[in-house]
Amino acid sequence: MSAARTTLAIFFSLLLLYGCVGPQPTQDLLAPTDAQMKIRSLQTRTFDIPDRQVAMRGVIAALQDLGFIIERANEGLGLVTAARFAEPHYYDVLGVTVTVRPEPEGRMMVRANAIYNNKPIEDPKVYQNFFATLERSLFITKP
């Protein structure tokens, strides 16, 4: 009887120890996936604009044209954050973060990252609409 209890105690002790061991992280845990790279390519465009300030002003104007309220703009970081209430339910929130980064040869890379109720938007049409508005804005504000 005591041998059975000892065996059971050892079994449950080992079971508890096994339950405490966490899964081992894999080597590619933080490696980008193909889906992430595809979304990133949808979110990024390069423009022939040598001045970051002009590009930032174009981004701000494009976001305002689309009905966004600018929350933050930091020229040093090239970062613009904006949000708006989404139709048809005006309690839904559409947020966007745009980064403007200088590229070689006098170009600017613009990346837009949009979220809808804290979920990333992966629809390419959303980004196509934003970049079409940005192109118009940059054309209008061109010196």
Side-chain angles (χ1 to χ4, degrees):
M1 198 57 146
S2 79
R5 282 186 179 177
T6 304
T7 305
L8 272 173
I10 291 172
F11 173 75
F12 283 113
S13 297
L14 290 175
L15 187 64
L16 284 174
L17 286 176
Y18 180 74
C20 292
V21 175
Q24 295 296 321
T26 60
Q27 291 282 337
D28 57 349
L29 185 63
L30 296 176
T33 63
D34 289 341
Q36 289 172 328
M37 298 309 291
K38 182 179 176 186
I39 291 171
R40 187 176 186 158
S41 70
L42 294 172
Q43 296 172 333
T44 307
R45 295 268 171 91
T46 303
F47 295 92
D48 290 327
I49 299 172
D51 189 5
R52 181 188 236 175
Q53 190 175 36
V54 171
M56 292 279 293
R57 287 182 181 169
V59 167
I60 291 170
L63 290 171
Q64 289 176 329
D65 289 345
L66 293 171
F68 284 90
I69 298 169
I70 305 301
E71 295 177 337
R72 288 184 217 120
N74 186 325
E75 186 185 345
L77 296 175
L79 182 70
V80 178
T81 304
R84 75 173 198 185
F85 295 108
E87 298 174 10
H89 308 292
Y90 289 99
Y91 51 82
D92 293 327
V93 178
L94 178 62
V96 65
T97 301
V98 181
T99 54
V100 177
R101 192 175 71 190
E103 292 280 307
E105 301 171 12
R107 304 180 82 186
M108 290 290 156
M109 186 204 67
V110 177
R111 181 175 179 193
N113 189 355
I115 57 171
Y116 181 78
N117 287 337
N118 290 330
K119 294 180 183 167
I121 296 176
E122 298 176 357
D123 184 6
K125 190 162 187 142
V126 171
Y127 298 104
Q128 291 168 356
N129 289 339
F130 168 74
F131 285 117
T133 305
L134 178 59
E135 285 177 7
R136 283 192 297 267
S137 176
L138 291 172
F139 180 76
I140 290 171
T141 60
K142 207 171 196 175

